[in-house]
Amino acid sequence: MAPGQSAIATAQRLIASFDPGARSELLFDWDARERTRWSNLPAGFFTRPGLSIGDMSDDQRGLLFEFLSTSLGEQGYRRLSNVLAAEAFLSQAPNAARNGWYPENYWISFYGLPSDGGDWGWSFGGHHLGLNLSFRDGQVSTMSPSFVGTEPAIFRLDGVEYESVVDMHHAGHAAFLTLDPDQRELADAGRVPRDVITGPGDDGLVPQRIGISASEMSPAQRTALLAVVRLWVEIQPEGNASVRMKAIEAELDQVHFAWHGSGEVNTPVYMRIQGPSLIIELVSNGDNVGENARGRGHYHTIYRDPTFEYGRQ
């Protein structure tokens, strides 16, 4: 079964597993305002539409994660899993209860009925995660906007070592290092903002492009830039990611790359990659809010296609 068809079938099974009352909390109209009501804040500070992992039975949780794994690319599902692992790590902090730092505090909601014809979409998110994928005629049409962050970035949980979002940071820095001194001056973002500029609540905002244009880069430098972009684009299934990458490559001369900071984790860093149909931001402020995460890294990132958000062109 194709990934899109498998995601649809699993979504239908998941929805059918709830009673009518719960289903009314899970399902919304395609153009419902709730679709834009998402955040990267912890559950203690923001109420989300839909049903949470904590609202579900074990069987329903199994269906949820089966749906998410079929609806995302392999790397996308890994990133989602890493966010939940980081949340489980934070749940051990003294202030976890006040902030709602628990992996059960992530919500799923559907917009339109999952089917192989027409438009429908889903949102899944909580602290440091806001995924908004849309489907059209059985295939992912856009994953904009989608937020992936983490705190901590480097940690050990249940005997497993994690590095979450660090590869995105390192890839951006590697692309910056391919530039010569004059190009680096052009690429300098100038400062590290407090947070991503085009994050939750900032739908429709298209900032002025900053940094160096890819039209001024060598083929090797352009390849390094595209490798950075792919780390976000491949959150969606491989076939959809390939189509999206071709579209970005076609407009590459109009894409700008800006960087400020080093390649070291837990230091102030800002990156923005922006073109006509692309905005990617990464911010590290070199601070932590979890007492048990001190010095381990804290990242916010956003991916947008300002021409095609929430499946609406």
Side-chain angles (χ1 to χ4, degrees):
M1 186 181 294
Q5 296 299 314
S6 182
I8 292 165
T10 309
Q12 291 170 340
R13 288 166 55 211
L14 174 62
I15 292 167
S17 72
F18 293 98
D19 63 39
R23 216 173 294 156
S24 68
E25 296 182 52
L26 182 65
L27 295 175
F28 298 87
D29 292 337
W30 165 247
D31 57 355
R33 291 182 179 179
E34 285 82 357
R35 186 86 192 271
T36 62
R37 205 178 83 212
W38 62 277
S39 175
N40 63 291
L41 291 174
F45 299 93
F46 192 87
T47 301
R48 294 165 172 84
L51 294 174
S52 73
I53 295 173
D55 292 327
M56 301 179 185
S57 68
D58 288 344
D59 287 344
Q60 288 167 337
R61 289 172 189 158
L63 284 171
L64 170 65
F65 286 108
E66 182 183 344
F67 165 71
L68 293 170
S69 68
T70 56
S71 200
L72 297 169
E74 180 180 347
Q75 294 304 316
Y77 188 68
R78 177 179 65 84
R79 294 199 184 279
L80 179 152
S81 300
N82 284 353
V83 171
L84 294 181
E87 196 74 356
F89 182 92
L90 281 182
S91 72
Q92 304 166 12
N95 53 343
R98 183 184 67 204
N99 292 310
W101 288 336
Y102 297 109
E104 293 84 4
N105 287 338
Y106 287 77
W107 277 258
I108 181 77
S109 51
F110 290 93
Y111 300 87
L113 289 172
S115 68
D116 57 8
D119 293 314
W120 65 279
W122 59 268
S123 298
F124 180 77
H127 187 208
H128 282 139
L129 187 68
L131 299 179
N132 294 289
L133 270 75
S134 302
F135 282 69
R136 176 167 292 169
D137 297 333
Q139 297 295 325
V140 174
S141 58
T142 184
M143 51 167 274
S144 178
S146 283
F147 183 106
V148 176
T150 191
E151 184 193 5
I154 299 175
F155 60 99
R156 182 182 178 88
L157 181 71
D158 297 333
V160 178
E161 301 286 346
Y162 290 88
E163 282 198 6
S164 184
V165 185
V166 175
D167 59 330
M168 292 169 156
H169 176 175
H170 286 168
H173 188 241
F176 179 72
L177 291 180
T178 67
L179 304 178
D180 65 37
D182 290 339
Q183 289 175 311
R184 290 183 191 182
E185 187 173 346
L186 289 172
D188 187 3
R191 66 183 183 90
V192 177
R194 183 176 179 84
D195 205 344
V196 293
I197 297 168
T198 61
D202 291 311
D203 294 344
L205 174 63
V206 179
Q208 182 177 351
R209 293 177 210 173
I210 59 174
I212 184 172
S213 168
S215 65
E216 301 178 71
M217 294 182 181
S218 70
Q221 291 168 340
R222 289 160 68 97
T223 296
L225 178 60
L226 286 169
V228 184
V229 173
R230 179 171 285 280
L231 292 177
W232 276 266
V233 172
E234 68 183 3
I235 287 172
Q236 61 194 310
E238 182 180 349
N240 307 102
S242 295
V243 172
R244 180 69 180 123
M245 286 302 299
K246 289 178 181 177
I248 293 169
E249 289 177 41
E251 66 179 35
L252 193 58
D253 282 348
Q254 302 174 71
V255 172
H256 283 63
F257 170 63
W259 177 272
H260 190 82
S262 74
E264 186 177 347
V265 174
N266 207 49
T267 59
V269 169
Y270 180 62
M271 180 184 74
R272 191 194 309 168
I273 302 172
Q274 184 175 348
S277 71
L278 177 69
I279 301 173
I280 290 172
E281 294 182 85
L282 177 148
V283 169
S284 164
N285 280 311
D287 62 359
N288 296 95
V289 293
E291 291 182 19
N292 61 338
R294 300 294 185 197
R296 297 172 182 262
H298 184 174
Y299 290 97
H300 291 181
T301 86
I302 187 77
Y303 165 95
R304 285 186 183 268
D305 174 354
T307 72
F308 198 5
E309 300 231 293
Y310 306 106
R312 308 164 193 167
Q313 290 173 301

